[in-house]
């Protein structure tokens, strides 16, 4: 049962802080924020045997709960946001897919309103400025080179809510577009790219800071042509997105990224589409038809993987129980790192006094038992 938490002490759990895990720790919530001390008469919630971790931050998400962020109404988008919140994602950036430029501008204006209302954390434009030979689930005849003037048009349409653009930076206009984004404090992400190692390094030097779903929709590692993956993994300026759903990546490639880049340079994302938290069936990702079977989304035409049905609680559990990553490393990758990239770490991404009381309660098996956002229970662990 959802309810407000005006002054609450959550105690007895393993609490994951930026400095490490405290066994038998406590988190004090005052109003919508984490407090440094408890007020007399504060309600107590015993969470012995559980974990308390920061709310998850998803910087790459196309929808969920049967709703698309690319084509849904505001009410449908909020349903999708709510679905992901119930799975622990308390901060979410809405991602678009390739479409007509004017339609993307209209969509940006709608998503900007939801950003201003605090429902989402901004907009990620994935497409149309990507390479046709690495298009994935994007409609080829709508793709275009990354013209800085057109990038600027979408930025302006977003009214300050643009957080990230995915670009194939090797295309004409790619480097100038990266420079434009960097100048305006918007993340330039390299993805859906056919760039070489040297071209990727050029883009990083121009200001790119993120690898869109590393490994996917880009050339593989080759011993004489290392391509973008080697350049992205080796550069300290880059944070690499990873989709840990058991479909997009072999566990060895996840391990390679965590080992080579380090947990401080990984952002776990969902790349979710409408079916996340909803079920198998036929959906649309932008203008393309998608069939979801056994939780895997593929284009009806061509069979390319079309986003995921992942929620971040599943990514968290898999990372700890299957991939055997330390809980603290997973918390970095699923909360702190994306919050920093989005310029929100002063408000979210860790359990520290003064920040929003955004947190997830996990049981000993790392299943979600409670979710709090801005001091209010979305899922109450006492229910």
């Amino acid at each position: 049962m959802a309810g407000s938490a005006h002054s609450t002490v959550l105690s007895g759990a393993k609490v994951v802080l930026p400095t490490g895990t405290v066994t038998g720790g406590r988190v004090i919530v005052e109003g919508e924020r984490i407090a440094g001390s408890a007020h007399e008469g504060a309600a107590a919630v015993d969470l012995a045997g559980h974990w308390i971790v920061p709310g998850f931050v998803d910087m790459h998400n196309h929808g969920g709960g049967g709703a698309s962020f690319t084509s849904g109404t505001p009410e449908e988008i909020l349903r999708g946001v709510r679905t992901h919140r119930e799975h622990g994602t308390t901060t979410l950036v809405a991602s678009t897919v390739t479409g007509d430029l004017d339609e993307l501008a209209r969509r940006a204006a709608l998503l900007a309103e939801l950003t201003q209302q605090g429902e989402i954390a901004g907009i990620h434009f994935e497409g149309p400025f990507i390479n046709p030979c690495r298009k994935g689930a994007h409609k080829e005849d709508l793709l275009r080179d990354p013209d800085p003037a057109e990038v600027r048009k979408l930025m302006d349409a977003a009214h300050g809510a643009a957080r990230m653009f995915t670009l194939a930076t090797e295309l004409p206009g790619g480097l100038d577009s990266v420079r434009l984004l960097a100048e305006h404090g918007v993340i330039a992400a390299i993805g859906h790219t056919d760039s070489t190692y040297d071209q990727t390094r050029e883009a990083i030097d121009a200001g790119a800071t993120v690898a869109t779903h590393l490994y996917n929709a880009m050339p593989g590692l080759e011993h004489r042509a290392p391509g973008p993956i080697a350049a992205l993994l080796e550069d300290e300026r880059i944070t690499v997105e990873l989709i840990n759903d058991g479909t997009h990546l072999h566990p060895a490639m996840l391990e390679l990224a965590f080992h080579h880049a380090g947990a401080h340079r990984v952002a776990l994302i969902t790349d979710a589409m409408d079916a996340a938290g909803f079920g198998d069936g036929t959906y649309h990702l932008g203008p393309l038809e998608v069939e979801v079977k056994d939780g895997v989304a593929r284009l009806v035409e061509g069979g390319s993987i079309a986003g995921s049905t992942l929620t971040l609680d599943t990514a968290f559990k898999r990372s700890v129980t299957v991939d055997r990553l330390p809980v603290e490393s997973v918390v970095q990758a699923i909360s702190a790192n994306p919050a920093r990239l989005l310029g929100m770490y002063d408000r979210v991404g860790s359990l520290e006094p003064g920040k929003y009381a955004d947190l997830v309660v996990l049981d000993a098996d790392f299943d979600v038992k409670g979710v709090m956002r801005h001091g209010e229970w979305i899922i109450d662990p006492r229910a």
Side-chain angles (χ1 to χ4, degrees):
M1 185 173 74
S4 62
H6 297 293
S7 186
T8 306
V9 179
L10 311 177
S11 63
K14 293 181 179 178
V15 180
V16 182
L17 303 173
T19 52
T21 299
V22 177
T23 300
R26 65 181 192 164
V27 177
I28 301 164
V29 177
E30 185 67 30
E32 63 180 16
R33 298 193 181 262
I34 297 171
S37 59
H39 289 270
E40 187 175 348
V45 180
D46 184 4
L47 294 173
H50 292 72
W51 294 80
I52 301 177
V53 300
F56 308 146
V57 180
D58 194 353
M59 56 189 279
H60 186 155
N61 188 315
H62 299 277
S68 168
F69 300 152
T70 296
S71 59
T73 65
E75 293 73 24
E76 289 168 339
I77 292 167
L78 291 176
R79 186 175 80 236
V81 170
R82 176 79 184 193
T83 296
H84 284 283
R85 285 180 185 169
E86 290 170 351
H87 290 272
T89 298
T90 51
T91 301
L92 180 150
V93 172
S95 301
T96 64
V97 295
T98 293
D100 173 79
L101 206 66
D102 290 335
E103 176 56 34
L104 283 174
R106 287 190 290 271
R107 175 62 30 174
L110 185 155
L111 293 172
E113 290 185 21
L114 294 174
T115 303
Q116 291 159 6
Q117 294 165 17
E119 298 292 349
I120 60 175
I123 308 164
H124 163 218
F125 294 95
E126 187 178 20
F129 309 115
I130 61 176
N131 198 311
C133 71
R134 302 286 176 180
K135 66 181 184 296
H138 292 257
K139 200 167 189 301
E140 186 166 355
D141 62 2
L142 294 174
L143 301 181
R144 53 214 297 143
D145 291 340
D147 180 346
E150 294 182 340
V151 172
R152 184 61 188 261
K153 175 180 178 175
L154 293 181
M155 284 175 55
D156 291 344
H159 302 296
R163 298 288 175 264
M164 181 164 66
F165 280 73
T166 292
L167 308 170
T169 54
E170 74 278 8
L171 296 176
L175 295 181
D176 286 340
S177 295
V178 169
R179 294 185 187 102
L180 172 70
L181 293 167
E183 286 169 9
H184 287 83
V186 179
I187 296 166
I190 301 170
H192 289 274
T193 177
D194 202 45
S195 63
T196 65
Y197 175 85
D198 289 335
Q199 287 172 329
T200 306
R201 286 177 60 88
E202 278 188 282
I204 297 169
D205 288 339
T209 56
V210 167
T212 293
H213 44 55
L214 186 74
Y215 305 119
N216 300 116
M218 61 182 64
L221 281 166
E222 296 286 347
H223 61 294
R224 291 193 186 93
I229 294 171
L232 294 164
L233 279 176
E234 73 183 12
D235 199 300
E236 282 291 322
R237 293 170 289 182
I238 291 290
T239 298
V240 298
E241 293 182 346
L242 297 174
I243 308 170
N244 192 16
D245 61 353
T247 298
H248 280 77
L249 299 177
H250 189 282
M253 301 309 278
L254 182 94
E255 166 61 25
L256 177 68
F258 268 91
H259 176 77
H260 201 75
H264 67 290
R265 287 181 45 221
V266 172
L268 292 173
I269 61 161
T270 60
D271 194 15
M273 45 78 72
D274 313 19
F278 202 67
D280 289 357
T282 302
Y283 298 84
H284 281 85
L285 189 57
L288 300 176
E289 191 174 20
V290 177
E291 181 71 25
V292 178
K293 184 177 180 181
D294 297 327
V296 178
R298 293 187 180 275
L299 291 182
V300 170
E301 186 176 336
S304 185
I305 292 178
S308 84
T309 61
L310 184 64
T311 51
L312 279 181
D313 58 333
T314 299
F316 192 110
K317 180 171 180 172
R318 180 180 176 85
S319 297
V320 174
T321 61
V322 175
D323 302 300
R324 303 295 180 184
L325 292 168
V327 172
E328 295 81 3
S329 295
V330 179
V331 167
Q332 268 192 287
I334 213 165
S335 299
N337 298 342
R340 284 195 187 93
L341 283 165
L342 296 170
M344 301 182 69
Y345 192 65
D346 60 329
R347 288 160 281 164
V348 300
S350 66
L351 301 175
E352 297 177 272
K355 294 191 176 185
Y356 284 120
D358 291 0
L359 57 87
V360 183
V361 179
L362 303 169
D363 65 16
D365 295 320
F366 298 98
D367 292 317
V368 171
K369 293 300 174 184
V371 179
M372 177 182 282
R373 182 177 187 270
H374 290 198
E376 293 194 358
W377 290 115
I378 293 168
I379 298 175
D380 192 327
R382 299 166 294 187

